[in-house]
Amino acid sequence: MKLTDSIIKAAKPKDKRYNLADGKGLVLLIQPDGQKAWRMRYYFNENEICFPLASIPLCR
């Protein structure tokens, strides 16, 4: 699923953190406190590795 600006802005925090996948390993992590961060997920030697890319400040 392609993440658009409206989907990202509409993502609300839940009790537990969760991911929205954009495809090819790019995910948006949403924390319970409302923070959002981009992560790149990939596999190396059969182990999943999450590489943080950037954080998006919460605008109110």
Side-chain angles (χ1 to χ4, degrees):
M1 165 176 90
K2 263 191 166 179
L3 293 179
T4 61
D5 188 49
S6 59
I7 293 173
I8 294 169
K9 287 181 180 179
K12 301 297 179 202
K14 298 180 180 178
D15 292 339
K16 295 183 179 181
R17 66 182 183 176
Y18 67 99
N19 294 321
L20 294 176
D22 191 38
K24 296 187 180 181
L26 185 63
V27 295
L28 181 65
L29 175 70
I30 293 99
Q31 298 282 1
D33 63 358
Q35 289 186 349
K36 299 175 184 174
W38 288 105
R39 304 263 171 130
M40 181 59 110
R41 290 174 30 184
Y42 63 95
Y43 290 89
F44 182 74
N45 290 338
E46 300 179 6
N47 295 321
E48 182 183 17
I49 299 171
C50 267
F51 183 75
L53 297 176
S55 293
I56 302 170
L58 184 63
C59 298
R60 294 181 191 220

